Amino acid sequence: MNGETPICQAFLRPDGGKGIRNKILIIYTVECSKHAAESIARYFQDRKKDVDVTGSLACLDNQAVVHRLLAFCVHPNVGAVLVVGHGCEYIEAAKIRDFAREHGRMAESFLLQEVGGTISGIELGKKLVTEMLEELSLTPRGPMYRHELIIGAKCGGSDFTSGLAGNAVIGCLFERHVEEGGTAMMEEMAEAIGLKKHLVSRTANEKAAKDIAMTYDKTVAFCKQLGHYSISPGNFVGGLTTIEEKSMGAVVKMGNCRIEGVLKIAQRPSRSGFWILDVIPDYAVEPAFLYGGDTTGLLDQIACGCHLLLFNTGRGHVGGTPVAPVLKLTGNREVYDKLKEDIDFLAGSVLSGEETKEETADRLWGLVCETCSGRPVLAECVGHREGTLFFNYQNPRQVVPCRY
């Protein structure tokens, strides 16, 4: 794993970013324009073009949703943006378009109320995206190195193998990635219950220690107010008995990395290293951000700039996201055999003794490099692009970063 060896030939963006995909992102600003946006995207997806769609359902404004949308527009995997609005909502399509243009992306927008309605809007969108695809085909390529790669991690449907194999292998990969100048992150502070002292002891500096402690306390208070911790019947069936036990397995994803700090939604890491993403509201006990389940946490890491995500599942998972590929793995051989259409990698060799944790991490890194070089993950192959955004209530530390 030589940090000076290019991982892949990346897509070069005008703002200096490097992407592992060359996507067109279609954004809907309200549920009224969702059908048109999804119809435009589906037309091109059926023709095997790399066009994704995401957006906001509500007419009302929410700054976390707006920040996510802006972050997606300037994500390094996105080369062009089309914003489809309705005309009455608070989120303004033209302002999102202008933000994308300011950061070097091709971008267009229109309102259905102004272009003749649904059918006319779909036809206009197809014309605009066709033109964008022609321009994107000329995107320059260049080497991407390990210090430029941001990887996120999450687990869902955890079972007894999650902490012993899947998450442990991710932790081993993250250790090496960070040692060689890369950046990694995870969220799931709600799955670190009981581990406050451990997390604080793993921080890189005093500010990080303070932020981790505050985030942990906020998360515990939120769960108590909500009346629910992040553990489910599926976890019990999978052999986990308490939230503390689940948390010990979840935190293994960080390996022996030091925590550089805490990120807010749509905030990019300021330097390389390992980071924790805080997705808990700063005010308002609003559970809506949980409605999207695991996908919400994946989308929030993508908004922080992750090029791809590692998703470990013990019970099985079939989802994916727009913007960045989700590489799914499991430590449970039975689950892998049942869901080979959806799970990319088996880490169960650690439990069987066929491989060491380090050997399995090396094999996973090889698949990460292939994914960066264009090999589609299974979620991309079968068409998973779950991307609806839900409200959250945070006081952002900074505006969406202008450079990726």
Side-chain angles (χ1 to χ4, degrees):
M1 296 183 181
N2 186 346
E4 295 301 315
T5 302
I7 296 171
C8 65
Q9 290 295 306
F11 297 94
L12 305 182
R13 304 301 176 202
D15 61 359
K18 295 182 179 182
I20 65 170
R21 295 292 186 268
N22 200 26
K23 293 179 176 289
I24 292 178
L25 181 63
I26 301 177
I27 291 173
Y28 53 89
T29 57
V30 68
E31 187 171 24
C32 301
S33 59
K34 180 180 179 181
H35 171 71
E38 290 185 336
S39 297
I40 298 164
R42 192 177 306 113
Y43 173 83
F44 292 98
Q45 290 165 0
D46 289 345
R47 288 156 178 78
K48 307 302 180 183
K49 303 299 182 182
D50 205 354
V51 177
D52 281 349
V53 61
T54 187
S56 173
L57 296 177
C59 288
L60 299 176
D61 187 9
N62 177 259
Q63 286 305 296
V65 170
V66 172
H67 288 163
R68 290 177 182 124
L69 293 177
L70 296 177
F72 293 154
C73 287
V74 297
H75 192 283
N77 290 348
V78 172
V81 178
L82 173 63
V83 190
V84 181
H86 181 244
C88 299
E89 64 276 15
Y90 275 90
I91 296 178
E92 298 181 52
K95 287 189 175 180
I96 297 175
R97 175 203 65 201
D98 292 346
F99 183 87
R101 287 178 177 176
E102 289 168 7
H103 296 88
R105 301 308 194 271
M106 287 183 287
E108 299 291 344
S109 70
F110 62 81
L111 302 177
L112 293 172
Q113 290 178 346
E114 296 181 358
V115 299
T118 302
I119 296 174
S120 297
I122 293 171
E123 290 306 310
L124 174 58
K126 287 158 64 174
K127 175 179 179 294
L128 292 171
V129 172
T130 297
E131 294 170 355
M132 290 177 176
L133 284 169
E134 292 178 2
E135 186 71 22
L136 275 188
S137 68
L138 304 176
T139 302
R141 307 287 290 269
M144 182 177 189
Y145 298 92
R146 194 156 191 167
H147 70 271
E148 299 171 307
L149 180 65
I150 306 177
I151 307 175
K154 184 172 174 57
C155 52
S158 298
D159 73 347
F160 75 97
T161 72
S162 295
L164 296 173
N167 288 341
V169 169
I170 292 174
C172 185
L173 185 148
F174 276 179
E175 287 175 23
R176 298 182 183 185
H177 185 55
V178 169
E179 284 174 3
E180 298 191 23
T183 302
M185 73 177 69
M186 60 175 276
E187 56 104 0
E188 300 173 301
M189 184 60 83
E191 294 180 25
I193 302 301
L195 300 176
K196 179 179 179 180
K197 290 182 179 179
H198 173 71
L199 292 177
V200 171
S201 72
R202 297 286 297 281
T203 53
N205 52 65
E206 187 175 340
K207 183 178 186 307
K210 180 180 178 181
D211 288 345
I212 284 290
M214 290 176 61
T215 302
Y216 178 90
D217 291 342
K218 180 184 70 168
T219 302
V220 171
F222 177 84
C223 291
K224 288 181 177 179
Q225 287 179 290
L226 196 62
H228 181 70
Y229 285 103
S230 184
I231 190 165
S232 69
N235 298 144
F236 300 141
V237 173
L240 302 177
T241 61
T242 65
I243 181 59
E244 291 85 359
E245 186 176 30
K246 181 180 180 181
S247 295
M248 287 188 286
V251 169
V252 170
K253 288 195 291 292
M254 67 183 289
N256 290 320
C257 298
R258 287 289 182 186
I259 301 171
E260 295 294 325
V262 176
L263 301 171
K264 292 289 193 179
I265 291 172
Q267 180 184 16
R268 189 170 186 258
S270 59
R271 58 186 177 275
S272 62
F274 182 85
W275 296 78
I276 297 288
L277 171 59
D278 171 20
V279 300
I280 303 299
D282 292 329
Y283 59 96
V285 184
E286 173 57 75
F289 80 100
L290 295 171
Y291 293 166
D294 294 321
T295 303
T296 300
L298 295 170
L299 287 168
D300 282 339
Q301 291 187 75
I302 294 170
C304 290
C306 289
H307 293 88
L308 79 159
L309 301 120
L310 302 176
F311 188 101
N312 179 45
T313 176
R315 301 277 294 156
H317 200 283
V318 299
T321 65
V323 182
V326 178
L327 194 164
K328 294 193 290 295
L329 63 147
T330 184
N332 190 319
R333 186 178 295 273
E334 182 179 349
V335 168
Y336 178 76
D337 289 339
K338 287 181 179 179
L339 293 174
K340 285 186 176 179
E341 296 177 357
D342 294 279
I343 299 179
D344 301 271
F345 185 88
L346 175 63
S349 52
V350 173
L351 298 178
S352 66
E354 298 168 66
E355 290 181 311
T356 65
K357 182 174 64 176
E358 291 74 19
E359 289 170 338
T360 309
D362 284 343
R363 189 161 53 87
L364 179 59
W365 174 251
L367 186 53
V368 166
C369 292
E370 290 179 17
T371 302
C372 291
S373 295
R375 172 177 173 167
V377 296
L378 290 176
E380 292 175 301
C381 292
V382 299
H384 276 294
R385 293 181 174 91
E386 288 79 22
T388 299
L389 303 176
F390 296 91
F391 279 19
N392 202 318
Y393 296 90
Q394 284 196 351
N395 300 311
R397 295 185 178 178
Q398 64 185 66
V399 179
V400 176
C402 63
R403 288 183 67 84
Y404 274 77

